[in-house]
Amino acid sequence: MAANARTITNGATTLCSEPVLAYIPAMVHTPKDSALMLRYKDGDVAAFEILYRRHKDAIYRYLLRLCGHRDAAEDIFQEVWGKIVNARESYRPTAKFTTFLYRVAHNCFIDHIRRNKRHSNNTALDPEFHSDPGETLEISTERSLARERLILALKTLPEEQRDAFLLHEEGGLSFDQIAIVTGCNRETAKSRLRYAVKKLRRAIDEPAEQS
Amino acid sequence: MTTEANNSDPRVSEAYRSSATETTPPELDETILKMAASSAPRRYGLTQGWLRPLAWAATIGLSLAFILEISQYQNVTVLSDPIPEKVEQRVTSDNTAVAPEDADVVSRKLNKHTGASSAAKALPPRAEKAAPTAMDSAPQRQSFASDGASLVTESEEQVRMRASEARLTASPAEKKALAEHCDDDARTTAESWYACVEDLKAKGLNDAARKELDALLIEFPDFREPDMDR
């Protein structure tokens, strides 16, 4: 489901392992984010609801992984959408809406860190893992362990690298878009993402290498 | 050249996506959607969108209808009596021959019944002041015309209009009070009534002749005095 949403919201990306063409019919029939935002600007609340349901889970997970704390993530999440609602009058579809949305989310997170200087990252998150019905117990267990190691490794990543990875995975943002959101240049964004992926890959493969 | 694909790892992505199952709490969704709905600018619906233009159209339409009605009423009032071709100049002065008490009686009666008349209101203040003497007889009016005191111009049309209004609104008792010097036989036709008026003049009963003439003009608004045509 997350992959579907990611592919639809950013059809241009080639990073997904799933065939992108499978989602093209859905893209044709769904209005663009910027068009929905402009409709909401004109008072169409239903357009906002579509927009919100399209992005809410990805934004929520992005903030949840960044904060590591559910309550804080919910507060920031609410603040982000409040800013989007308030920004409807000044909204111009010059950039991609996803970039705009994640930039607001990133800035809200930075503000949250500044407000709460003791940024705690040690609250355990317990994502619900669902195993595929056809998997054997060994494979299921191995996947489950890999996910657990990934989440732990994600927590240990430097904040900038984690941010870049989450923007890439949850928002489907490109290097340029990550650079815009985080306020760095393209090469820095690329470097952060590369290091993040490398570390996460190492964390997933670690037990196998040990064995 | 480094592409974005080179910086991604399918296995890492897959592991992350399978772990990313968290969704927003429903109460949070509800809060945000309520906030968005309350912040959205109010849109006019299909029916509401027509309300404002409809209100304007109704206002303009009613105004036009009212103006047309007023103008038609004025036209009917003026055209109900024949418009005289001659406009006379009347003179009112302190030594006017009109008996003050008679003028007051006519004035009170006219004001009583035509107070709300738009035609009377349309008259200038000086003409309104002269209104009580509007029922004066033609010879008297002509006799005053040569006086060089304060001049008030009043058209025959206005005199007849007031007479017509008085005729429409006067009760039978009032009409009888206005004319009591000529008998009923004399009042059957305008000519016989005017002959009676002439007799009264010849006898020197000018006040009585004037009253009878006023009553005659009220009863027969189309009657034209022979002197007036001269």
Side-chain angles (χ1 to χ4, degrees), chain A residues 6 15 18 40-43 45 48 52-53 56-57 60-61 64-65 74 77-78 81-82 85 88 127-129 143 147 150-151 166 169-170 174-175 190 194 197 201 204-205, chain B residues 1-33 35-43:
Chain A
R6 187 164 34 250
L15 300 169
E18 290 83 1
Y40 176 58
K41 184 181 174 182
D42 291 337
V45 181
F48 178 83
Y52 173 74
R53 295 204 184 281
K56 69 183 179 81
D57 290 334
Y60 180 68
R61 281 193 296 269
L64 197 61
R65 299 270 184 258
E74 287 181 8
F77 181 81
Q78 204 164 336
W81 286 103
V85 165
R88 69 187 182 280
E128 296 171 7
F129 298 133
R143 279 180 184 271
R147 284 191 291 254
L150 177 80
I151 296 300
L166 291 171
E169 287 296 330
E170 290 293 352
S174 64
F175 294 145
K190 193 166 77 176
R194 189 171 62 238
V197 169
R201 176 66 194 245
I204 290 171
D205 292 342
Chain B
M1 185 181 140
T2 308
T3 62
E4 293 185 15
N6 292 340
N7 276 32
S8 106
D9 188 318
R11 200 168 165 212
V12 172
S13 290
E14 190 186 342
Y16 177 77
R17 284 174 203 167
S18 60
S19 70
T21 55
E22 298 91 345
T23 56
T24 53
E27 58 269 16
L28 195 58
D29 293 343
E30 196 180 342
T31 305
I32 288 166
L33 290 175
M35 176 188 65
S38 63
S39 302
R42 184 169 290 181
R43 296 176 90 194

Side-chain angles (χ1 to χ4, degrees), chain B residues 100-116:
Chain B
E101 63 275 13
D102 294 341
D104 286 345
V105 169
V106 176
S107 170
R108 266 187 263 115
K109 285 179 181 173
L110 280 174
N111 288 338
K112 181 180 174 185
H113 297 293
T114 64

Side-chain angles (χ1 to χ4, degrees), chain A residues 22-86:
Chain A
Y23 299 98
I24 286 177
M27 289 169 64
V28 170
H29 295 294
T30 52
K32 282 185 175 179
D33 293 342
S34 54
L36 290 170
M37 190 64 182
L38 290 174
R39 275 168 56 188
Y40 176 58
K41 184 181 174 182
D42 291 337
D44 187 352
V45 181
F48 178 83
E49 193 169 342
I50 296 169
L51 193 64
Y52 173 74
R53 295 204 184 281
R54 190 178 285 177
H55 293 288
K56 69 183 179 81
D57 290 334
I59 282 281
Y60 180 68
R61 281 193 296 269
Y62 167 72
L63 293 169
L64 197 61
R65 299 270 184 258
L66 276 181
C67 295
H69 196 282
R70 199 172 295 273
D71 290 340
E74 287 181 8
D75 287 346
I76 301 169
F77 181 81
Q78 204 164 336
E79 189 184 343
V80 167
W81 286 103
K83 287 192 174 181
I84 297 294
V85 165
N86 292 331

